Amino acid sequence: MVSLSQDRAAIVVKCADGIVRAYHTADCSPAWEMPSSMRQVQFVSYVSPVRVLLQDTSGKCTLVKAETGAVSQTSDTVLPSISHCSFDESSELVVATFENDDSGTPQGLVVVSVDEGGFGSESLIRHGLAVSKDRTKALCYLPWLDDYVVYPRYSLAELIARGREELALYRQSTANEETP
């Protein structure tokens, strides 16, 4: 398991011995290493420019500082085995896919708060749809793409307005095609 920082300056690697190590990409020099007393890690990923999320084999997560590897927070919540995660720099939430069974196909989502005061699972979605707390976004897992998509969550009035805009654009493009 390998995760590259957004600025491509560092890489975090879950090594075969279960220890997580970070390296500077410019010269491959070691940046930090998790102590061997840390639980056996099965998943590792940058979840912001300054944080790395680890999940151990028991399903518990740890948040470490990306520059030093120092543990900043731990959670005792047991989550299914995370297979992939994504984050938005402006958000304190990480969205991760997990497997419901042994098929190897991610079949669900978990939303994890990486907020300094509230690290841990926000919601667990076995089959892919969730709405944000502020009700402005919907998250949908697309199994045929093996990925998820975040959509704006529109009110009925907003949907009608967007539909009218799209219809106007469509009419304009077809009118332009018909003009010689």
Side-chain angles (χ1 to χ4, degrees):
M1 174 76 42
V2 175
S3 182
L4 183 63
S5 65
Q6 278 191 313
D7 63 3
R8 302 187 184 279
I11 191 168
V12 177
V13 180
K14 182 206 83 131
C15 299
D17 59 6
I19 296 175
V20 176
R21 294 177 177 91
Y23 298 92
H24 301 286
T25 56
D27 59 3
C28 296
S29 64
W32 52 265
E33 177 178 300
M34 292 297 299
S36 57
S37 62
M38 180 71 188
R39 297 180 276 208
Q40 185 87 8
V41 173
Q42 70 177 3
F43 178 81
V44 58
S45 180
Y46 278 91
V47 291
S48 82
V50 295
R51 296 182 208 136
V52 175
L53 177 69
L54 310 174
Q55 184 183 39
D56 67 22
T57 54
S58 73
K60 296 178 182 177
C61 293
T62 302
L63 201 59
V64 300
K65 296 178 182 175
E67 289 185 8
T68 64
V71 173
S72 62
Q73 294 187 29
T74 60
S75 175
D76 287 331
T77 303
V78 175
L79 298 174
S81 297
I82 297 172
S83 56
H84 171 74
C85 75
S86 184
F87 66 94
D88 179 353
E89 279 188 59
S90 63
S91 176
E92 293 295 322
L93 297 175
V94 172
V95 178
T97 57
F98 64 88
E99 300 170 6
N100 286 332
D101 54 28
D102 295 329
S103 69
T105 304
Q107 296 181 359
L109 301 168
V110 62
V111 178
V112 179
S113 170
V114 292
D115 182 27
E116 289 297 327
F119 174 60
S121 172
E122 289 281 320
S123 62
L124 187 66
I125 306 115
R126 293 277 174 199
H127 296 284
L129 180 65
V131 177
S132 64
K133 283 184 181 178
D134 65 1
R135 302 206 164 289
T136 62
K137 294 178 185 156
L139 179 74
C140 185
Y141 176 64
L142 307 175
W144 58 90
L145 294 177
D146 191 20
D147 204 358
Y148 61 90
V149 177
V150 176
Y151 295 103
R153 186 170 179 266
Y154 297 113
S155 67
L156 181 57
E158 291 170 322
L159 279 173
I160 291 169
R162 292 225 2 126
R164 287 183 177 149
E165 289 171 13
E166 292 297 321
L167 184 57
L169 288 172
Y170 173 75
R171 286 180 178 158
Q172 182 181 13
S173 69
T174 56
N176 289 343
E177 289 174 6
E178 292 174 4
T179 305

